Amino acid sequence: MREIDALTITNTVKKLCIEANCHLSCDIKNCISACAENEPWPTAKDILNQIIENYEIADRENLPICQDTGVACVFLEIGQDVHINGNLNDAINEGVRQGYSGGFLRKSVVRDPLDRVNTGDNTPAMIYYEIVSGDKIKITVAPKGFGSENMSAIAMLRPSDGIAGVKDFILKTVREAGPNPCPPIVVGVGIGGTFDKAAYLAKKALLRPIDLPNATPFYADLEKELLEKINALGIGPQGFGGQTTALAVNIEHFPTHIAGLPVAVNINCHVTRHKTEVI
Amino acid sequence: MTIKIHTPLTREKVKELKVGDSCLITGTIYTARDAAHKRLKELIDNDKPLPIDIENSTIYFVGPTPSKSGQVIGSAGPTTSYRMDDYSPDLIKLGQTGMIGKGKRNGAVIDAIKTYGAVYFGAIGGCGALLSKCIKKCKVVAYPDLGAEAIHKLEVEDFPVVVVIDSHGNNLYEIGPKNYLTQNKAE
Ligand code: SF4
């Protein structure tokens, strides 16, 4: 049994909150540059170039890429041979608290969805635990903005709706979102499981680097086909028209019930942020 | 072509702006998001005076990140505007002429834009670091308890926006993609 101190968790979460918010990962940057290069529509190209300038400023000056520094989604893969000294939930929330205040990040969490009083420190985090084998902990912090979160949707399709129904629902969700989620977007899709599992898979899909297709060829092809279809909609960067509506479609799938075909679409913006560390 | 405009935005200036125009705004603008709009609406409903001069004003839908020492403001890009749709028509009726945000507006806002002569600008969502460079002064003028959601008075210089809905109701979110698709098919 390996012992890990709660303080190590706090310090790691703190660091990841700040890094994720100020420095976009290479897969996203490379994709945006390539899209800017290939974009045929002048206004769209101009917007993509400003998006590049923005993340370069953020990198250089350690500034948040976007003012919506999100709700902190924290994913942990905990090795079953690890023992944590201290309260794990508290340690994570303390990391978020320190990261958001020390990193000059915006506090965007309200304590109750109806009375809407800001908690003032961006806690609580949305925490997702998974137990895996081994004696390490993998922590990923993914700040999630709500401009794109609000455009997400879930459908409990019938098995007879099949793949055509799945594609239609994804395209409909992106079309209806239009300019709202700050396109170009990254589309996270969860297919299968239960109502909540599909939504979780869609969120988890957003953690996968966008240059890494689904490991199953069938789903990798579906990702590619959907990306082409989305980029043929013409929405374009910021919804002003153009080729670059989405940077990627990432799909995760899971077994499901004989009676069901859940599909969840979690939309993320071009500021798709996540940073990981293994301790 | 890029048009330089100065606030306050009079109705005459607003009328000259056409959908799709790229503009650089210089002058005073105010910030407000959901919570501040809700309070402004409550004042209007109770016939009380507003904490800002609404005549010919421009409101930027933004909640910036906190500024580090030496910074005027933190990252400050637009938030999604439809959440202000229940509030904007009343403010436009009272004299507000400019809105800066991102994303779609509803029919009631577009009607108010046409009836009273206002304009809806889009700033690039997700470019808060870049846009903060155009903000030269920043002061909280109302609701400091709301933190990032307080009303700030900003002095901006060459702040880049695009006319998304002009005073005739022409909408770039409809026209832009359509033009792109027609052109693309023609080629
Ligand atoms: S949707 Fe993304 S880019 Fe747009 S404001 Fe929210 S976090 Fe920023």
Side-chain angles (χ1 to χ4, degrees):
Chain A
M1 185 66 73
R2 180 172 164 233
E3 302 273 327
I4 294 181
D5 203 78
L7 188 63
T8 312
I9 309 272
T10 297
N11 291 339
T12 307
V13 169
K14 174 186 175 183
K15 193 178 91 187
L16 293 176
C17 285
I18 299 172
E19 278 180 10
N21 269 302
C22 300
H23 308 287
L24 209 55
S25 52
C26 287
D27 54 320
I28 306 275
K29 285 182 184 171
N30 293 340
C31 185
I32 297 173
S33 322
C35 289
E37 193 92 348
N38 297 330
E39 175 62 60
W41 198 239
T43 342
K45 204 185 188 70
D46 183 48
I47 292 167
L48 293 170
N49 283 325
Q50 292 191 57
I51 287 174
I52 293 171
E53 200 184 335
N54 181 67
Y55 69 60
E56 286 175 351
I57 293 174
D59 262 340
R60 239 187 354 255
E61 302 183 25
N62 282 316
L63 289 176
I65 308 156
C66 180
Q67 76 292 332
D68 184 356
T69 49
V71 56
C73 296
V74 184
F75 293 79
L76 291 101
E77 286 177 27
I78 304 176
Q80 60 188 21
D81 300 327
V82 173
H83 177 258
I84 293 145
N85 289 317
N87 184 305
L88 182 55
N89 269 316
D90 290 352
I92 294 166
N93 280 317
E94 185 55 29
V96 168
R97 191 172 290 122
Q98 291 181 13
Y100 275 73
S101 63
F104 295 88
L105 307 176
R106 200 181 77 189
K107 290 81 184 167
S108 313
V109 175
V110 293
R111 68 178 182 190
D112 179 290
L114 294 175
D115 88 5
R116 308 205 70 80
V117 176
N118 198 302
T119 59
D121 57 9
N122 221 51
T123 68
M126 304 295 147
I127 306 175
Y128 308 84
Y129 292 114
E130 222 175 289
I131 303 294
V132 298
S133 57
D135 64 355
K136 297 202 170 10
I137 301 182
K138 182 174 167 187
I139 306 181
T140 301
V141 174
K144 186 67 174 78
F146 255 57
S148 50
E149 193 74 358
N150 282 336
M151 296 297 117
S152 304
I154 192 160
M156 303 305 282
L157 300 179
R158 295 168 306 172
S160 64
D161 291 324
I163 188 165
V166 169
K167 287 183 202 168
D168 282 351
F169 177 67
I170 297 167
L171 287 171
K172 177 175 152 254
T173 305
V174 171
R175 198 182 301 114
E176 280 173 8
N180 291 9
C182 297
I185 56 176
V186 176
V187 186
V189 179
I191 309 176
T194 47
F195 181 77
D196 54 308
K197 179 83 174 183
Y200 169 73
L201 291 173
K203 175 139 275 111
K204 221 182 148 194
L206 294 171
L207 302 182
R208 173 152 43 92
I210 59 170
D211 50 9
L212 196 70
N214 189 298
T216 312
F218 173 80
Y219 284 101
D221 287 346
L222 186 58
E223 289 177 343
K224 210 167 141 230
E225 184 194 333
L226 281 164
L227 179 63
E228 277 165 21
K229 290 213 160 95
I230 289 170
N231 285 338
L233 294 174
I235 297 169
Q238 300 299 307
F240 298 164
Q243 174 177 275
T244 318
T245 301
L247 302 174
V249 177
N250 279 5
I251 302 176
E252 295 295 326
H253 55 98
F254 201 78
T256 189
H257 191 276
I258 46 172
L261 177 50
V263 188
V265 180
N266 196 191
I267 296 187
N268 211 348
C269 45
H270 59 90
V271 190
T272 289
R273 297 157 283 197
H274 45 81
K275 278 278 179 294
T276 302
E277 195 156 303
V278 178
I279 47 178
Chain B
M1 199 190 69
T2 306
I3 304 167
K4 291 206 173 217
I5 45 180
H6 287 82
T7 61
L9 270 185
T10 58
R11 278 164 220 275
E12 290 69 50
K13 286 187 209 170
V14 164
K15 267 198 203 117
E16 282 168 21
L17 299 171
K18 300 269 168 317
V19 70
D21 283 348
S22 289
C23 306
L24 295 171
I25 303 179
T26 297
T28 303
I29 62 176
Y30 294 97
T31 73
R33 291 175 43 104
D34 317 39
H37 271 86
K38 188 162 178 250
R39 290 194 188 175
L40 293 177
K41 172 92 166 82
E42 276 160 16
L43 292 175
I44 295 171
D45 289 347
N46 292 305
D47 284 326
K48 297 232 174 80
L50 299 181
I52 57 170
D53 183 8
I54 201 74
E55 184 65 23
N56 295 334
S57 65
T58 296
I59 296 183
Y60 181 20
F61 307 142
V62 59
T65 57
S67 53
K68 298 180 185 174
S69 77
Q71 261 187 331
V72 173
I73 194 167
S75 292
T79 193
T80 325
S81 310
Y82 74 91
R83 298 194 317 273
M84 269 51 81
D85 282 359
D86 286 346
Y87 311 117
S88 291
D90 280 341
L91 291 166
I92 293 171
K93 207 167 155 184
L94 283 178
Q96 179 190 354
T97 47
M99 294 170 280
I100 306 172
K102 57 137 174 142
K104 295 179 247 186
R105 308 307 304 269
N106 70 10
V109 176
I110 298 173
D111 283 347
I113 285 176
K114 287 198 284 190
T115 311
Y116 299 99
V119 59
Y120 172 52
F121 298 107
I124 302 183
C127 283
L130 178 70
L131 291 169
S132 73
K133 303 291 174 196
C134 307
I135 301 171
K136 304 299 173 188
K137 279 189 202 160
C138 168
K139 196 177 147 206
V140 173
V141 290
Y143 315 136
D145 60 298
L146 293 179
E149 294 206 60
I151 297 184
H152 300 71
K153 186 178 180 180
L154 306 181
E155 297 298 329
V156 296
E157 221 174 271
D158 290 337
F159 188 91
V161 293
V162 173
V163 175
V164 173
I165 303 173
D166 67 21
S167 56
H168 303 286
N170 300 308
N171 192 337
L172 186 59
Y173 294 139
E174 286 159 15
I175 297 168
K178 212 189 277 163
N179 286 348
Y180 162 75
L181 289 174
T182 339
Q183 185 96 356
N184 212 32
K185 236 178 246 159
E187 272 168 11

